[in-house]
Amino acid sequence: MKEAKTFAGGGEGVLTAASLPAARKRFSIQQWTILPSILFFVLWEIFSRINVTVKLFNPNFLPAPTVLIQEGIELAKTGIILDSIVASTIRIIIGFAIGSVLALALGVLMSKFKIVEYWLSPVLNLVGPIPALALLPLFIIWFGIGEFPKVLLIAWTTFIPVLVYTLDGFKSVPSTLIRSAMSLGASERQIFLRVMLPSAFPNFLVGAQVSLGLSFGALIVSEMMGANSGLGYIIVDARNYFKITNMFVAIILIGLEYSLLSYLLKLVEKKVLAWRKGGLREAVQK
């Protein structure tokens, strides 16, 4: 069997002929992942064009994607799209980061100290299910109209799911791993840092993925109340002046921004958890 060798950074990797089909298959899968999105917009375009002719309902209620692209270009020329994307991105990143870091820190404390979990769990179970829309008016009354209540709402929305998944990760660490580390003479600190924390980190990343979508909901809600910039503000302004196309442009931008941040989060997960492989696709050889 012939082998093709590659050298990078002084290291040597071997790519055999048997591994070439698998590499081509992975490339093909990655190449076609965008196909469903393209098909969705194509069907949307066709349906909207047909509706203009047959008028199943008011064509203004569902403009075609090509019309939205033209409207988006016009909005971009005014600078409102760039300003709104920057404002929304800054809010979501800061709020999401604060909520995730605090959730991880509290999860560590609650997993290490039973007294912390005993006192905080009932309180979190009480206030955790409260939706963001119910808290925003209260935050505005407490902190005024500004950036702080918006970021705080996003952080709170991120905090609860990440904390729940992180705690579940700590509690799901196999006891055999802990016993094995203890038998090898590991200290309590080493067990926590080398065994429990790496085992719980995948759950933390799952919680971060789940909370990302919820955080975008909190972002749009906060920008719809007491904001003069952001993608949520564009939606409210479009509603007030019945600009349906502007509303759709903002909605699509929200979806695109969420998809980008979710993709970046998955890249982080893939990089950090490169050691973890499993599932049916890894077990079954084709």
Side-chain angles (χ1 to χ4, degrees), residues 46-69:
I46 294 172
F47 179 79
S48 297
R49 294 298 179 181
I50 293 175
N51 186 52
V52 171
T53 303
V54 301
K55 288 185 169 55
L56 297 173
F57 52 86
N58 190 337
N60 292 326
F61 291 170
L62 188 64
T66 51
V67 176
L68 297 179
I69 291 175

Side-chain angles (χ1 to χ4, degrees), residues 230-246:
L231 298 174
Y233 170 75
I234 293 179
I235 295 176
V236 172
D237 183 71
R239 179 202 63 187
N240 294 337
Y241 295 97
F242 203 71
K243 298 178 180 179
I244 302 296
T245 53
N246 290 16

Side-chain angles (χ1 to χ4, degrees), residues 111-128:
S111 64
K112 283 182 66 69
F113 305 104
K114 290 291 184 181
I115 189 67
V116 177
E117 183 178 10
Y118 174 80
W119 286 104
L120 289 184
S121 290
V123 177
L124 293 174
N125 291 333
L126 179 65
V127 300

Side-chain angles (χ1 to χ4, degrees), residues 196-209:
M196 296 189 65
L197 197 58
S199 298
F201 201 69
N203 287 56
F204 165 78
L205 292 176
V206 172
Q209 282 282 359

